[in-house]
Amino acid sequence: MLRFLSAIVFAGLLLSGCATQGAQEDGAANAMHAYLAGMPKAELHLHLEGTLSPETTVRITRRNGLDYFTTVEEVKQSLASRPPGLMGFLAHHFKSQEVMQTRQDFYDATYKLAETLADNNIVYVDVFFDPQAHTTRGVSFADMFEGIDAGRVDAEAAFGVTINLIMCIQRERSVESALEMLDQAAPFRSRIIGLGMDSGPEYGNPPVKFRDVYSRAREEGYFLTGHHDVDVRDSIKHIWQSLDVIGMDRIDHGLNASDDDELTKELARRGICLTGSPVMRSTDPAPQDVDRIMALDSAGVCVSLNSDDPEEFESGYLTNMLILFQGASGYSRADMTRLMLNAFNSIWGTTTDKNAYIAALKSYAAAHDVVWGEVMSADDSDKAAE
Ligand SMILES: [Zn+2]
């Protein structure tokens, strides 16, 4: 009997020990999530056309009298039934962006986005937009741009988020179409900070295709970036083109660089930053490319985390993506702070603004007992989750 009672007491102690350990792990995870949620953030890879929520989409389609995406369920069904891969993703993306037709639509999309970014404690953001996707179906460049820009200005005042705009070439379109886009953008040049390149397919539409467009954009004072999607044929070759032929200031995605030692070393040597997007689909088991981001980070390459098209990926907005990435990588607070420091270091704002953002990040880290020396160096940091 005594032995039986002892066994029960021992089992009880074991269970309470497990419960205590479980509670401690939950507490540590919650503390990490709170740290990531509260951290002042920058995001450098975010497509306006990929941030339309189902609710905003339906509001706009009803206002414009369209006969598709008339209910939230219809939008969600379209998202859920996408074929795998970039082109399947783009099929929904193109259909969704076509709901925007008037200046008011672009204003609403931008303003609503900024409100959500502020909820994520994002203080600086570069937002991509695709003029050709809209002008080729009859929307005027001026209506589209003035809507976006007015939404940006009002949202900055309302939510305190600084927004810069990057105009993207759709790479499947012609060089002539891209040059025409530059012509149309000329009256608004001072309000567009950079020229990017997105859409697809990438194979067959390499960066060098748009060498003359980028060259002219450089002369006109735009910063330069462009998409290098992951695991696309010739991805490494395309990144080299963007570095050596185009002279891009940043590389969007570009995570295949981790597969090539020479390219990894060159990116680290030049200090060219990659805007990584370890996004997740409903069919993915976890955020993608975590190993590649960790490899690039430990090799000294400047790589940041970004949500890309948060309404169209399961990973959602930036706070959620940071939580997912941290869970998959086991990165410490210092490591996560370094990835955010990389984003602030690669913004195209003034040095004064950049230093102020970094000072705010530094002070947030210090208030949470994060040692700045560990933030600055991937080699010195403790990779164990805190
Ligand atoms: Zn993108």
Side-chain angles (χ1 to χ4, degrees):
M1 184 64 182
L2 187 60
R3 182 179 293 176
F4 177 67
L5 284 174
S6 299
I8 290 177
V9 170
F10 180 64
L13 285 172
L14 269 181
L15 283 172
S16 82
C18 287
T20 306
Q21 189 186 351
Q24 283 172 345
E25 285 171 3
D26 286 350
N30 289 340
M32 174 62 88
H33 296 175
Y35 180 76
L36 296 174
M39 184 160 65
K41 303 177 186 69
E43 174 144 28
L44 309 176
H45 185 151
L46 182 68
H47 301 265
L48 177 66
E49 293 87 352
T51 66
L52 282 178
S53 70
E55 292 75 18
T56 304
T57 302
V58 168
R59 193 154 54 84
I60 293 176
T61 57
R62 289 183 180 169
R63 185 163 70 201
N64 291 338
L66 303 178
D67 63 358
Y68 69 98
F69 289 164
T70 54
T71 65
V72 167
E73 290 67 33
E74 193 186 338
V75 181
K76 288 183 176 172
Q77 179 56 32
S78 172
L79 281 165
S81 60
R82 288 173 294 176
L86 176 65
M87 299 317 286
F89 165 83
L90 286 175
H92 170 90
H93 185 77
F94 291 153
K95 189 175 174 189
S96 173
Q97 69 191 9
E98 287 185 5
V99 306
M100 291 191 286
Q101 299 183 348
T102 67
R103 188 178 293 210
Q104 186 68 43
D105 299 339
F106 288 95
Y107 176 95
D108 290 353
T110 309
Y111 190 89
K112 182 69 187 147
L113 167 62
E115 187 177 16
T116 307
L117 298 181
D119 288 344
N120 281 255
N121 283 316
I122 292 174
V123 295
Y124 177 93
V125 62
D126 283 338
V127 174
F128 295 125
F129 66 107
D130 286 352
Q132 292 159 298
H134 309 299
T135 55
T136 52
R137 57 189 175 84
V139 178
S140 82
F141 193 102
D143 272 353
M144 172 205 61
F145 185 77
E146 293 292 10
I148 294 172
D149 197 46
R152 169 177 79 109
V153 170
D154 288 353
E156 283 186 2
F159 309 117
V161 185
T162 297
I163 302 170
N164 276 321
L165 299 171
I166 300 175
M167 171 174 75
C168 288
I169 302 165
Q170 287 190 302
R171 66 193 322 148
E172 69 274 26
R173 297 186 190 273
S174 67
V175 172
E176 292 70 29
S177 173
L179 289 168
E180 188 185 345
M181 179 180 79
L182 274 185
D183 290 339
Q184 292 169 332
F188 313 101
R189 164 65 199 89
S190 65
R191 291 182 273 164
I192 304 172
I193 198 166
L195 178 73
M197 173 175 58
D198 61 10
S199 204
E202 180 173 329
Y203 183 70
N205 296 294
V208 288
K209 172 180 169 184
F210 295 101
R211 180 199 321 229
D212 293 344
V213 184
Y214 274 112
S215 172
R216 195 180 124 194
R218 172 68 83 200
E219 284 170 16
E220 293 179 5
Y222 291 95
F223 287 98
L224 308 181
T225 189
H227 276 49
H228 303 74
D229 286 306
V230 180
D231 292 339
V232 165
R233 192 170 160 193
D234 284 348
S235 181
I236 304 259
K237 187 173 149 190
H238 292 172
I239 298 169
W240 278 114
Q241 285 176 5
S242 292
L243 294 177
D244 290 342
V245 181
I246 307 292
M248 286 190 188
D249 300 295
R250 282 202 307 248
I251 299 286
D252 298 316
H253 297 298
L255 301 178
N256 280 106
S258 70
D259 307 341
D260 186 290
D261 283 349
E262 195 188 343
L263 179 54
T264 297
K265 282 183 193 152
E266 190 60 12
L267 286 166
R269 189 186 73 74
R270 296 194 198 188
I272 298 283
C273 293
L274 309 182
T275 64
S277 303
V279 294
M280 220 172 114
R281 296 175 178 83
S282 56
T283 48
D284 294 332
Q288 303 295 294
D289 305 309
V290 172
D291 289 350
R292 282 178 167 137
I293 289 171
M294 293 172 73
L296 290 161
D297 181 37
S298 67
V301 176
C302 171
V303 57
S304 62
L305 301 182
N306 305 270
S307 64
D308 205 352
D309 295 282
E311 291 289 348
E312 297 176 353
F313 288 117
E314 207 72 3
S315 33
Y317 285 87
L318 191 55
T319 294
N320 193 54
M321 158 149 295
L322 296 184
I323 289 170
L324 288 170
F325 179 88
Q326 190 281 324
S329 64
Y331 260 18
S332 68
R333 290 186 190 190
D335 295 323
M336 295 303 292
T337 307
R338 179 176 53 261
L339 296 182
M340 192 51 65
L341 176 65
N342 288 344
F344 282 117
N345 267 326
S346 47
I347 68 175
W348 295 330
T350 65
T351 305
T352 309
D353 288 346
K354 191 187 288 194
N355 289 343
Y357 289 131
I358 291 171
L361 180 67
K362 199 169 179 178
S363 128
Y364 180 80
H368 292 80
D369 301 323
V370 172
V371 178
W372 197 251
E374 293 178 4
V375 172
M376 295 296 285
S377 165
D379 296 334
D380 295 339
S381 62
D382 173 13
K383 289 289 187 291
E386 292 170 7

